[in-house]
Amino acid sequence: MLSDWKPIDPPPPLEAGEVQLWRIDLADSAGLRDRFTTLLTPSEQLHASRYRLAQARDHFSVGRACLRTLLGNLSGLDPRSITITTGVHGKPESPNLNGHSIAFNVAHSKDTILIALSRNGPVGVDVEYFDRPTDIMDVAKHNFTETETSSLEAIADAETRHRTFYRYWTRKEAVLKADGRGLIASLASFDVSFESLHQHPIRMRESKDDQGKLFFVSDLTVGIEAAAAIALESPDYPIKQLIFPLNLLW
Ligand SMILES: CC(C)(COP(=O)(O)OP(=O)(O)OC[C@H]1O[C@@H](n2cnc3c(N)ncnc32)[C@H](O)[C@@H]1OP(=O)(O)O)[C@@H](O)C(=O)NCCC(=O)NCCS
C-alpha cells in the first residue's frame, strides 16, 4: 500500500512513466476562496454557484482551480485558458494541452481532494472516508460480486468489515473512473476481493466472452481515516504522492 506523502514546492515536471497524485486539504484552503474563484471559467463559476451545499461547492471549485493550476504549470498555458471538456459519461478531460497529452482524474470526500495526473493513458482515483453511515452489506449484496460479498460476510469484526467494504468500493470506483463510464458500468463486472492491492491486474468484463479492459489497481494510504485507490491502464509506474502547495495560488 502506498503511503509516502511529500509536501513539495514548486510542482515537479510530470515525467513519462510516472503518475503524480496530489492531495489538497480543504481546511488549509479556507482563506483562499476568492483566489480559487478567479481561476475558474465563467461557466465553471456558474456551475459552482449551483451547488447548495458549501462543501460540494468547495469540492468542485477548489478541485478545479488546483487542477487548472497543475495543468497550466505542466503545459505552460494560462490555467484559465485551458479547455476542459466532458466525455460522454461526464469524465472531465483536456485533449489539447499545448501538445501535451495529460490524463487526469479528481476525487473528493469530506475535507480531502485528490488529483491524479498521468502521461500514460487514462487514470481513475477514488477516496471515501470510513465514517459514513452506510448499510454496507445491503450495498454489497446489490452491487458487488458473490465472492466480494461472501468475503465481507466472513469478516467477524464489524469495524474491519466496514473498512474492508470501503477498500473494495474505492478500488471499484477507481477502475470505473479510469474507464470513464463511472457508475453506469457494472460494479460487479470485476472482482477486487484481495488482501492488499499494489498495481494488481483487474479485468473489467461485461460478459464471459468479452475480452474486457485491463486496469492495474493500487490501494493508497492518504494519511486520513479514509480508503483510497488509483487505477491505471499500465503497470509499473511509480506513483508520486504530493501535497499541493497552496501558496502556488497566491
Ligand atoms: C464519476 C462518479 C463515479 C463520481 O462519484 P462520486 O463518488 O460522487 O465522486 P468522486 O469524488 O469520486 O469524483 C467526482 C469527480 O469525478 C470526475 N468525474 C465525473 N464523471 C466522471 C466519469 N464518468 N468518469 C471518471 N471521472 C468522472 C469529476 O472530476 C468529478 O469531480 P468534479 O465534478 O468536482 O470535477 C459518478 O458521478 C458517476 O458514475 N458518474 C458517471 C455517470 C453519470 O451519472 N453521468 C451523468 C453525466 S453524463
Side-chain angles (χ1 to χ4, degrees):
M1 197 179 290
L2 300 167
S3 63
D4 190 17
W5 286 90
K6 291 192 174 63
I8 191 144
D9 186 16
L14 174 65
E15 308 292 347
E18 72 168 18
V19 173
Q20 289 182 357
L21 183 68
W22 292 90
R23 191 181 86 196
I24 299 131
D25 300 319
L26 273 183
D28 299 342
S29 69
L32 295 165
R33 296 294 190 263
D34 292 348
R35 187 72 191 110
F36 292 125
T37 308
T38 59
L39 284 164
L40 303 183
T41 63
S43 71
E44 287 169 343
Q45 290 179 21
L46 183 66
H47 182 87
S49 71
R50 289 187 175 136
Y51 284 104
R52 288 223 237 119
L53 295 177
Q55 189 184 59
R57 192 165 54 243
D58 287 349
H59 278 165
F60 175 76
S61 48
V62 175
R64 189 51 66 93
C66 294
L67 172 67
R68 284 188 171 279
T69 303
L70 290 169
L71 294 177
N73 189 63
L74 293 172
S75 64
L77 294 168
D78 177 341
R80 272 159 290 239
S81 75
I82 291 170
T83 304
I84 298 180
T85 55
T86 46
V88 199
H89 300 295
K91 183 172 183 174
E93 293 160 343
S94 208
N96 185 4
L97 278 168
N98 210 11
H100 296 260
S101 171
I102 301 171
F104 57 81
N105 197 228
V106 178
H108 17 67
S109 183
K110 278 175 76 175
D111 267 357
T112 301
I113 301 176
L114 297 180
I115 300 177
L117 302 170
S118 164
R119 292 190 190 275
N120 315 295
V123 54
V125 64
D126 191 40
V127 56
E128 302 286 347
Y129 273 78
F130 290 124
D131 64 359
R132 291 173 60 173
T134 307
D135 184 343
I136 57 158
M137 290 320 298
D138 187 56
V139 177
K141 277 174 191 149
H142 287 99
N143 298 283
F144 285 9
T145 65
E146 278 177 30
T147 316
E148 288 161 347
T149 308
S150 22
S151 100
L152 287 173
E153 276 166 345
I155 302 172
D157 177 61
E159 183 60 22
T160 310
R161 187 164 61 242
H162 188 84
R163 286 174 177 244
T164 306
F165 167 85
Y166 278 108
R167 289 253 163 263
Y168 291 0
W169 181 272
T170 52
R171 292 167 183 177
K172 282 176 173 290
E173 208 174 295
V175 169
L176 297 175
K177 290 176 77 181
D179 171 76
R181 277 176 290 171
L183 295 170
I184 280 177
S186 166
L187 279 162
S189 58
F190 55 97
D191 195 284
V192 296
S193 55
F194 305 96
E195 276 293 300
S196 169
L197 285 184
H198 180 63
Q199 300 193 339
H200 194 103
I202 300 280
R203 196 169 283 279
M204 187 184 172
R205 293 179 208 274
E206 292 297 316
S207 68
K208 271 191 182 159
D209 306 325
D210 180 17
Q211 271 293 303
K213 282 194 197 169
L214 185 62
F215 293 100
F216 295 84
V217 185
S218 299
D219 288 337
L220 303 163
T221 296
V222 272
I224 49 174
E225 282 295 292
I230 186 165
L232 301 161
E233 258 191 357
S234 317
D236 301 330
Y237 289 134
I239 300 170
K240 270 192 195 157
Q241 302 193 164
L242 307 160
I243 296 173
F244 187 89
L246 285 164
N247 60 354
L248 258 190
L249 301 166
W250 293 341

